[in-house]
Amino acid sequence: MAAPLRRVLYGAARGLGRPWRPRTLCAAAAAAAAPGRSAAAPSGRSPWRLLGALCLQRPPVISQPLTPLQVEMAELLQQIEVEKSRYSDHEMRALEEIRKLERKKADLYDSDDDDDDDEKEILLTQDLEDTWEQTFLQFKPHPRVTEADQKNDRTSLQRKLDQNLVLLVKEKIGDQETWILPHAEWQVGETLRETAERVLAILSQNSMEAKFLGNAPCGYYKFKFPQAFRTENNIGAKVFFFKALLQNGDLSQARNKDNHVWVTKEELGDYLKPKYLAQVRRFFMDI
Amino acid sequence: MSGALGKVLCLRKEALSQTKQALSLVRFQLREENPSCSAGNILLNTIRSYKSKPTHGIGRYKHLIIPTESKKKIGKTEMKPISQGTDHIYGVLNVHLTAYDMILVENYAKYVHKLCNDYSIKVEESYALPTKTMEILQMQEQSNKMLLDSILTTHERVVQISNLSSTFAAIFLEILQSNLPEGVNLSVREHTEEAYKERFKARPELEELLAKVN
């Protein structure tokens, strides 16, 4: 059920030949993806350029630990449930066997009284429980705090397993390097979601699989170019963010380690500019 | 009797000389018939005077109610996705929740239902599919026999949703996924005829007869 976007998409596909000098509080457009094109914007087009950005999230792998109140409540409920419950088949069998063993030890034991079934009962419930205990001890779960957490290696996907992580890249814009969500220029004839998919393909070189949740963008950011670079038909740009959940794969190793980070919501503030951050925060959900 | 009535009628005649009632009463007098006084058949009373009064039909209300269609068991039509212009709304969707733990899955189904109510997404139905039991047999050590069973039951709950807009669908799905408890599988599918028919029990006699006919 594809749903084409609501707005009629205008676009002035201009190439960015010159580097931009970014304004103090704005993130400027990236020159990386779009090749240089000759500008021929007709007068009917809107002066805003359109960019599609990708908010690639890695959903949490394990659940968050319970708060102390939740732990207490869970224990209380468990206790109530156990006290109100009745014996299960396994427990009944265990009780029966205890009684039979006691009868055997007693002096008035008469082997004829016992049923035939008793002879065939090789496996007592106690033995079963012991074997279960053994298999349980052999099972070792993975640690919650991984190596990457301890090293605080922000480029790896293995850190912060119980939280959402989002991908940030460092793009060189003009003479400044800023951290942004990866984006690409919108080209005529494709939907903005396809632009975001293109960003994914470029970043990962097809090694990452992500699931887009819908055709509608989850947020947008509008900024104007600095005064020196504004023309009549090129006031600024609008960036539309699309959310995608990472299924598997990682950024290709070809990409430099310094250029990308996987961050949680709290750490976003370390990297993004304030206004950009404010917009991104609105759609980045935290549990 | 007729004399007294005649007096009453005359008085009435004076008071409401121009109303229909007066005319009809006058008609009575001229014909010299007085059906209300006659000791004969009630069926002779052909002219009912109260039908012409303004209070006629004062208790009628059925014509004001919107007629509701009676629900039939089989043959319930499905809603097709509404796609009109700019806004796109999904048709009927089924949210399947499966888990081994029944309490967990039921509580999560309750959570999903409440969430839909809060966001005014219409919940058509919320039903359970029959549980599937799986017996696990382990190979016993030092023998070829399969013993040491454990029994696993898979429980499935379905929440049927309609009227979900595509802009909200992404957010809704993300909420569902991020709040999913451990051990519960989530699957969102479109509602189809087969999914509807799956809930009914198979009728072997009917199938036999059909096979015989064909």
Side-chain angles (χ1 to χ4, degrees), chain A residues 11-78:
Chain A
R14 277 175 176 246
L16 290 174
R18 301 180 280 178
W20 299 95
R21 187 163 40 87
R23 243 173 160 197
T24 42
L25 289 176
C26 294
R37 282 193 206 175
S38 57
S43 51
R45 297 257 180 97
S46 136
W48 296 92
R49 297 187 41 240
L50 291 175
L51 306 165
L54 180 68
C55 171
L56 189 62
Q57 271 187 353
R58 186 221 66 186
V61 176
I62 55 180
S63 58
Q64 296 191 330
L66 298 175
T67 62
L69 173 68
Q70 285 176 334
V71 169
E72 271 187 54
M73 189 64 186
E75 280 174 15
L76 178 69
L77 288 175
Q78 181 71 15

Side-chain angles (χ1 to χ4, degrees), chain A residues 1-4 6 57 60 63-64 81 123 128 132 164 213-216 243 245 247 283-285 287, chain B residues 81 86-91 93 103 140 148-149 166-167 169-171 173-175 177-179 182 190:
Chain A
M1 293 200 226
R6 180 178 214 173
Q57 271 187 353
S63 58
Q64 296 191 330
E81 201 184 302
L123 217 53
L128 275 175
W132 292 340
N164 275 326
L213 286 174
N215 288 325
K243 222 177 227 188
L245 293 181
Q247 309 280 97
F283 62 79
F284 188 35
M285 260 208 276
I287 307 169
Chain B
T86 54
D87 262 287
H88 286 257
I89 304 176
Y90 282 101
L93 292 175
I103 304 164
Q140 222 184 8
L148 305 173
D149 325 327
S166 66
T167 46
I171 305 170
L173 283 173
E174 207 189 328
I175 298 174
Q177 272 184 304
S178 52
N179 283 308
E182 309 105 326
E190 290 173 37

Side-chain angles (χ1 to χ4, degrees), chain A residues 5 52 151 160 226 236 256:
Chain A
L5 274 186
K151 282 192 268 175
K160 299 272 182 183
N256 199 354

